[in-house]
Amino acid sequence: MSVPFLDVGAAYRELQAEIDQAVNRVLKSGTYILGREVEEFESRFAAYCDTSHCVGVGNGLDALHLALRAMGVGPGDEVIVPSNTYIATWLAVSQCGAVPVPVEPIEATFNIDPDLIEDAITPRCKVVLPVHIYGQPANLDPILDIARRHGLRVLEDAAQAHGARYKGKRIGAHGDAVAWSFYPGKNLGAIGDGGAITTNDADIADKIRLLRNYGSRVKYQNERLGFNSRLDPLQAAILSVKLKYLDSWNSRRTAFADKYQSCLDDNDLHLPFVPEWAEPVWHLFVVRYCQRDRLQRLLRESGICTLIHYPIPPHKSEAYKGDYADAKFSVADDLAESVLSLPIGPHFENSEIAGVIDNTNLLLSSNE
Ligand SMILES: *Cc1c(COP(=O)(O)O)cnc(C)c1O
């Protein structure tokens, strides 16, 4: 058998006629920067997330970076981040000249542990930046409560969580702002780079609109030191098409995740734990196993591709190593050694997921 980790071209093939039509509309429009297509996607995605504002930007990293700037984060400030996230979360903080302050996750959910946040807050702290990692919402209520008590802003990294719900309400503006990525492999993915910020805070939305476009509201009048990071109208038109299918695609992911949860059976294989208040969208299906590298190799020999998210935690990356040499983040380190992402996505066949389950169960039982 042969099961890829993910086929990002499958969504295009399913919707080819509709996407081609949208692309042609942009090509013929003569508007290639911002304009109607971007505004339409922004209002559709804001409605989907049940928020008042959405601002489209160039990618997910810029969404995080510009949102932090709009919250006033600058040199010398600190931002609380998970120790086990994708490095983009940390880089956005560093791009502001601020310092990422890592907090360890709860191992079973992979999400930042709210009980550890308060101890990490110093007078320099400005923002708490939880990540809804692998598509499962972080425990937002205690995080918002701590932030409120300390006068901090909350920015959510929802790059992996399009459509996820926390206590029944879609991720979109529980915190002060939410950053999104439309990288092709995400649950809502463009055919290139893309990103956005959703918020109910008109002031934050307005600041980001300025920052993404040279600090300018009126052409050649520059109010602030801005950047150039605008959502491409071609990507916006494609995203407007794909957004209509997001919920049904997420349901297919959930059906596959349920299959994994009920059929993978080995006492040493740790399956993801879903708290009762979380409705994840299974961007990734991540298991933990002590002999992870061996399991990955055996699955590869059976034709099944898996990935590791992520093999090197940010504090151990070449980029940050010097800054965190004395620090110890043992949960993040353990996770990097033991996590394995199984294939999941809306375009797999039932038989492919069944094949992953059968092979995994077989390999684990013959290992004992
Ligand atoms: C993908 C991702 C990003 C960055 O998005 P890009 O669009 O690739 O810049 C940020 N945070 C997390 C958790 C991600 O998974």
Side-chain angles (χ1 to χ4, degrees):
M1 86 177 308
S2 167
V3 183
F5 181 72
L6 181 69
D7 172 8
V8 285
Y12 171 65
R13 293 193 296 276
E14 180 187 325
L15 306 177
Q16 186 170 356
E18 230 182 317
I19 289 177
D20 286 356
Q21 200 179 21
V23 167
N24 274 309
R25 193 175 66 235
V26 177
L27 294 179
K28 288 181 187 146
S29 75
T31 301
Y32 303 141
I33 298 289
L34 295 175
R36 221 190 73 193
E37 295 287 347
V38 173
E39 284 163 23
E40 268 180 20
F41 173 70
E42 286 173 342
S43 68
R44 286 195 178 118
F45 195 60
Y48 178 83
C49 295
D50 198 15
T51 57
S52 4
H53 310 277
C54 171
V55 186
V57 295
N59 55 66
L61 173 58
D62 286 354
L64 289 162
H65 169 218
L66 298 186
L68 288 170
R69 293 238 174 203
M71 291 175 174
V73 174
D77 291 336
E78 292 178 353
V79 174
I80 290 182
V81 295
S83 58
N84 64 321
T85 182
Y86 178 56
I87 198 167
T89 319
W90 289 39
L91 290 176
V93 176
S94 302
Q95 284 183 359
C96 297
V99 178
V101 176
V103 167
E104 294 263 62
I106 297 168
E107 222 170 283
T109 65
F110 307 108
N111 269 317
I112 192 165
D113 187 343
D115 290 341
L116 303 178
I117 290 177
E118 204 141 20
D119 280 348
I121 297 173
T122 76
R124 289 183 299 277
C125 187
K126 277 262 175 73
V127 174
V128 184
L129 206 179
V131 179
H132 306 304
I133 196 95
Y134 310 149
Q136 170 151 296
N139 193 1
L140 288 168
D141 278 349
I143 296 172
L144 292 166
D145 181 55
I146 294 163
R148 237 173 260 127
R149 277 192 282 110
H150 290 267
L152 307 175
R153 298 280 211 165
V154 173
L155 170 63
E156 303 163 55
D157 181 340
Q160 305 187 354
H162 315 76
R165 289 173 191 268
Y166 177 72
K167 298 191 177 170
K169 182 174 155 34
R170 276 227 179 93
I171 297 302
H174 293 81
D176 297 288
V178 180
W180 304 89
S181 163
F182 306 121
Y183 181 82
K186 310 289 186 182
N187 291 40
L188 178 61
I191 299 189
D193 279 310
I197 297 94
T198 53
T199 179
N200 286 330
D201 185 322
D203 180 55
I204 288 179
D206 186 59
K207 285 199 169 106
I208 296 170
R209 274 182 206 288
L210 281 180
L211 288 174
R212 75 169 174 184
N213 191 30
Y214 290 107
S216 162
R217 210 181 299 271
V218 179
K219 207 166 175 143
Y220 305 128
Q221 295 183 23
N222 303 83
E223 301 172 31
R224 291 171 67 113
L225 296 176
F227 300 85
N228 177 359
S229 183
R230 302 169 293 217
L231 180 61
D232 182 330
L234 275 171
Q235 303 301 343
I238 292 164
L239 288 166
S240 287
V241 173
K242 285 186 164 187
L243 180 58
K244 294 187 284 179
Y245 301 88
L246 177 59
D247 283 343
S248 67
W249 286 345
N250 280 342
S251 303
R252 266 188 81 72
R253 288 175 183 271
T254 302
F256 292 142
D258 289 348
K259 264 255 168 306
Y260 280 145
Q261 296 274 28
S262 58
C263 300
L264 286 170
D265 65 354
D266 186 278
N267 290 335
D268 297 325
L269 186 76
H270 296 278
L271 298 169
F273 173 73
V274 182
E276 83 282 355
W277 39 257
E279 289 169 61
V281 288
W282 302 106
H283 173 61
L284 296 169
F285 190 89
V286 178
V287 298
R288 286 172 293 140
Y289 190 64
C290 55
Q291 297 184 57
R292 187 266 319 273
D293 291 341
R294 182 162 181 274
L295 178 60
Q296 182 175 42
R297 180 172 50 79
L298 293 172
L299 283 169
R300 195 184 310 119
E301 286 164 12
S302 319
I304 294 163
C305 294
T306 59
L307 290 177
I308 294 163
H309 298 91
Y310 299 90
I312 303 172
H315 72 273
K316 286 204 164 153
S317 67
E318 207 51 45
Y320 282 111
K321 215 161 58 181
D323 305 340
Y324 297 89
D326 302 329
K328 203 166 175 302
F329 301 104
S330 56
V331 184
D333 290 344
D334 286 350
L335 288 175
E337 297 287 316
S338 61
V339 291
L340 186 68
S341 306
L342 302 181
I344 197 162
H347 296 95
F348 281 103
E349 302 288 340
N350 294 329
S351 60
E352 292 177 297
I353 300 301
V356 176
I357 292 168
D358 291 346
N359 275 282
T360 308
N361 285 338
L362 190 70
L363 292 170
L364 293 176
S365 63
S366 60
N367 198 24
E368 272 143 15

